[in-house]
PDB file of all heavy atoms in Angstrom:
ATOM      1  N   ASP A 343      -8.759 -25.629  14.940  1.00 95.00           N
ATOM      2  CA  ASP A 343      -9.092 -25.941  16.344  1.00 95.00           C
ATOM      3  C   ASP A 343      -7.990 -25.441  17.283  1.00 95.00           C
ATOM      4  O   ASP A 343      -7.579 -26.143  18.213  1.00 95.00           O
ATOM      5  CB  ASP A 343      -9.266 -27.451  16.556  1.00 95.00           C
ATOM      6  CG  ASP A 343     -10.330 -28.043  15.634  1.00 95.00           C
ATOM      7  OD1 ASP A 343     -11.200 -27.267  15.185  1.00 95.00           O
ATOM      8  OD2 ASP A 343     -10.263 -29.251  15.339  1.00 95.00           O
ATOM      9  N   VAL A 344      -7.503 -24.249  17.048  1.00 96.00           N
ATOM     10  CA  VAL A 344      -6.430 -23.703  17.884  1.00 96.00           C
ATOM     11  C   VAL A 344      -7.051 -22.940  19.048  1.00 96.00           C
ATOM     12  O   VAL A 344      -7.972 -22.142  18.871  1.00 96.00           O
ATOM     13  CB  VAL A 344      -5.529 -22.758  17.046  1.00 96.00           C
ATOM     14  CG1 VAL A 344      -4.477 -22.106  17.922  1.00 96.00           C
ATOM     15  CG2 VAL A 344      -4.879 -23.519  15.905  1.00 96.00           C
ATOM     16  N   SER A 345      -6.550 -23.196  20.236  1.00 96.00           N
ATOM     17  CA  SER A 345      -7.061 -22.493  21.411  1.00 96.00           C
ATOM     18  C   SER A 345      -6.445 -21.094  21.478  1.00 96.00           C
ATOM     19  O   SER A 345      -5.267 -20.907  21.154  1.00 96.00           O
ATOM     20  CB  SER A 345      -6.671 -23.291  22.656  1.00 96.00           C
ATOM     21  OG  SER A 345      -6.462 -22.424  23.739  1.00 96.00           O
ATOM     22  N   PRO A 346      -7.216 -20.117  21.927  1.00 97.00           N
ATOM     23  CA  PRO A 346      -6.651 -18.768  22.085  1.00 97.00           C
ATOM     24  C   PRO A 346      -5.480 -18.753  23.070  1.00 97.00           C
ATOM     25  O   PRO A 346      -4.686 -17.827  23.072  1.00 97.00           O
ATOM     26  CB  PRO A 346      -7.818 -17.942  22.624  1.00 97.00           C
ATOM     27  CG  PRO A 346      -9.043 -18.723  22.315  1.00 97.00           C
ATOM     28  CD  PRO A 346      -8.645 -20.173  22.256  1.00 97.00           C
ATOM     29  N   GLU A 347      -5.376 -19.798  23.902  1.00 96.00           N
ATOM     30  CA  GLU A 347      -4.276 -19.859  24.874  1.00 96.00           C
ATOM     31  C   GLU A 347      -3.024 -20.516  24.300  1.00 96.00           C
ATOM     32  O   GLU A 347      -1.978 -20.526  24.960  1.00 96.00           O
ATOM     33  CB  GLU A 347      -4.697 -20.635  26.128  1.00 96.00           C
ATOM     34  CG  GLU A 347      -5.505 -19.823  27.135  1.00 96.00           C
ATOM     35  CD  GLU A 347      -6.903 -19.529  26.635  1.00 96.00           C
ATOM     36  OE1 GLU A 347      -7.572 -20.468  26.152  1.00 96.00           O
ATOM     37  OE2 GLU A 347      -7.319 -18.350  26.697  1.00 96.00           O
ATOM     38  N   ALA A 348      -3.099 -21.104  23.115  1.00 97.00           N
ATOM     39  CA  ALA A 348      -1.946 -21.810  22.532  1.00 97.00           C
ATOM     40  C   ALA A 348      -0.795 -20.829  22.300  1.00 97.00           C
ATOM     41  O   ALA A 348      -1.028 -19.638  22.038  1.00 97.00           O
ATOM     42  CB  ALA A 348      -2.356 -22.454  21.209  1.00 97.00           C
ATOM     43  N   PRO A 349       0.460 -21.317  22.396  1.00 97.00           N
ATOM     44  CA  PRO A 349       1.613 -20.426  22.181  1.00 97.00           C
ATOM     45  C   PRO A 349       1.533 -19.661  20.853  1.00 97.00           C
ATOM     46  O   PRO A 349       1.918 -18.488  20.783  1.00 97.00           O
ATOM     47  CB  PRO A 349       2.805 -21.398  22.182  1.00 97.00           C
ATOM     48  CG  PRO A 349       2.353 -22.559  23.003  1.00 97.00           C
ATOM     49  CD  PRO A 349       0.872 -22.679  22.786  1.00 97.00           C
ATOM     50  N   VAL A 350       1.000 -20.309  19.808  1.00 98.00           N
ATOM     51  CA  VAL A 350       0.945 -19.662  18.493  1.00 98.00           C
ATOM     52  C   VAL A 350       0.041 -18.417  18.509  1.00 98.00           C
ATOM     53  O   VAL A 350       0.139 -17.558  17.627  1.00 98.00           O
ATOM     54  CB  VAL A 350       0.498 -20.697  17.424  1.00 98.00           C
ATOM     55  CG1 VAL A 350      -0.999 -20.984  17.516  1.00 98.00           C
ATOM     56  CG2 VAL A 350       0.891 -20.282  16.016  1.00 98.00           C
ATOM     57  N   MET A 351      -0.831 -18.326  19.528  1.00 98.00           N
ATOM     58  CA  MET A 351      -1.714 -17.159  19.631  1.00 98.00           C
ATOM     59  C   MET A 351      -1.181 -16.116  20.616  1.00 98.00           C
ATOM     60  O   MET A 351      -1.839 -15.104  20.870  1.00 98.00           O
ATOM     61  CB  MET A 351      -3.120 -17.607  20.041  1.00 98.00           C
ATOM     62  CG  MET A 351      -3.870 -18.344  18.949  1.00 98.00           C
ATOM     63  SD  MET A 351      -3.998 -17.363  17.411  1.00 98.00           S
ATOM     64  CE  MET A 351      -4.993 -15.974  17.977  1.00 98.00           C
ATOM     65  N   GLN A 352       0.019 -16.335  21.174  1.00 96.00           N
ATOM     66  CA  GLN A 352       0.537 -15.389  22.174  1.00 96.00           C
ATOM     67  C   GLN A 352       1.495 -14.367  21.577  1.00 96.00           C
ATOM     68  O   GLN A 352       1.827 -13.371  22.205  1.00 96.00           O
ATOM     69  CB  GLN A 352       1.249 -16.116  23.327  1.00 96.00           C
ATOM     70  CG  GLN A 352       0.432 -17.237  23.971  1.00 96.00           C
ATOM     71  CD  GLN A 352      -0.991 -16.794  24.285  1.00 96.00           C
ATOM     72  OE1 GLN A 352      -1.202 -15.758  24.910  1.00 96.00           O
ATOM     73  NE2 GLN A 352      -1.974 -17.565  23.837  1.00 96.00           N
ATOM     74  N   GLU A 353       2.015 -14.638  20.402  1.00 96.00           N
ATOM     75  CA  GLU A 353       3.028 -13.744  19.828  1.00 96.00           C
ATOM     76  C   GLU A 353       2.797 -13.621  18.326  1.00 96.00           C
ATOM     77  O   GLU A 353       2.096 -14.459  17.727  1.00 96.00           O
ATOM     78  CB  GLU A 353       4.426 -14.322  20.072  1.00 96.00           C
ATOM     79  CG  GLU A 353       4.590 -15.734  19.505  1.00 96.00           C
ATOM     80  CD  GLU A 353       5.971 -16.331  19.779  1.00 96.00           C
ATOM     81  OE1 GLU A 353       6.373 -16.397  20.962  1.00 96.00           O
ATOM     82  OE2 GLU A 353       6.648 -16.712  18.815  1.00 96.00           O
ATOM     83  N   GLU A 354       3.356 -12.572  17.730  1.00 98.00           N
ATOM     84  CA  GLU A 354       3.286 -12.424  16.272  1.00 98.00           C
ATOM     85  C   GLU A 354       3.967 -13.642  15.651  1.00 98.00           C
ATOM     86  O   GLU A 354       5.095 -13.975  16.015  1.00 98.00           O
ATOM     87  CB  GLU A 354       4.023 -11.146  15.868  1.00 98.00           C
ATOM     88  CG  GLU A 354       4.037 -10.896  14.375  1.00 98.00           C
ATOM     89  CD  GLU A 354       4.835  -9.643  13.994  1.00 98.00           C
ATOM     90  OE1 GLU A 354       5.375  -8.970  14.898  1.00 98.00           O
ATOM     91  OE2 GLU A 354       4.902  -9.349  12.792  1.00 98.00           O
ATOM     92  N   ILE A 355       3.309 -14.314  14.719  1.00 98.00           N
ATOM     93  CA  ILE A 355       3.868 -15.556  14.183  1.00 98.00           C
ATOM     94  C   ILE A 355       5.054 -15.264  13.262  1.00 98.00           C
ATOM     95  O   ILE A 355       6.111 -15.860  13.381  1.00 98.00           O
ATOM     96  CB  ILE A 355       2.766 -16.368  13.459  1.00 98.00           C
ATOM     97  CG1 ILE A 355       1.689 -16.768  14.480  1.00 98.00           C
ATOM     98  CG2 ILE A 355       3.368 -17.606  12.798  1.00 98.00           C
ATOM     99  CD1 ILE A 355       0.435 -17.351  13.875  1.00 98.00           C
ATOM    100  N   PHE A 356       4.884 -14.370  12.323  1.00 98.00           N
ATOM    101  CA  PHE A 356       5.972 -13.947  11.438  1.00 98.00           C
ATOM    102  C   PHE A 356       6.627 -15.122  10.738  1.00 98.00           C
ATOM    103  O   PHE A 356       7.853 -15.261  10.690  1.00 98.00           O
ATOM    104  CB  PHE A 356       7.017 -13.134  12.233  1.00 98.00           C
ATOM    105  CG  PHE A 356       7.570 -11.981  11.450  1.00 98.00           C
ATOM    106  CD1 PHE A 356       6.735 -11.044  10.881  1.00 98.00           C
ATOM    107  CD2 PHE A 356       8.941 -11.821  11.259  1.00 98.00           C
ATOM    108  CE1 PHE A 356       7.232  -9.974  10.153  1.00 98.00           C
ATOM    109  CE2 PHE A 356       9.457 -10.760  10.521  1.00 98.00           C
ATOM    110  CZ  PHE A 356       8.592  -9.844   9.979  1.00 98.00           C
ATOM    111  N   GLY A 357       5.793 -15.987  10.198  1.00 98.00           N
ATOM    112  CA  GLY A 357       6.257 -17.175   9.490  1.00 98.00           C
ATOM    113  C   GLY A 357       5.043 -17.862   8.899  1.00 98.00           C
ATOM    114  O   GLY A 357       3.901 -17.424   9.110  1.00 98.00           O
ATOM    115  N   PRO A 358       5.274 -18.984   8.171  1.00 98.00           N
ATOM    116  CA  PRO A 358       4.191 -19.571   7.368  1.00 98.00           C
ATOM    117  C   PRO A 358       3.248 -20.485   8.139  1.00 98.00           C
ATOM    118  O   PRO A 358       3.012 -21.617   7.737  1.00 98.00           O
ATOM    119  CB  PRO A 358       4.968 -20.342   6.294  1.00 98.00           C
ATOM    120  CG  PRO A 358       6.233 -20.748   6.973  1.00 98.00           C
ATOM    121  CD  PRO A 358       6.568 -19.657   7.941  1.00 98.00           C
TER     122      PRO A 358
END
Side-chain angles (χ1 to χ4, degrees):
D343 303 337
V344 176
S345 148
E347 279 71 48
V350 75
M351 289 304 296
Q352 308 312 309
E353 57 182 56
E354 179 183 0
I355 297 170
F356 218 54

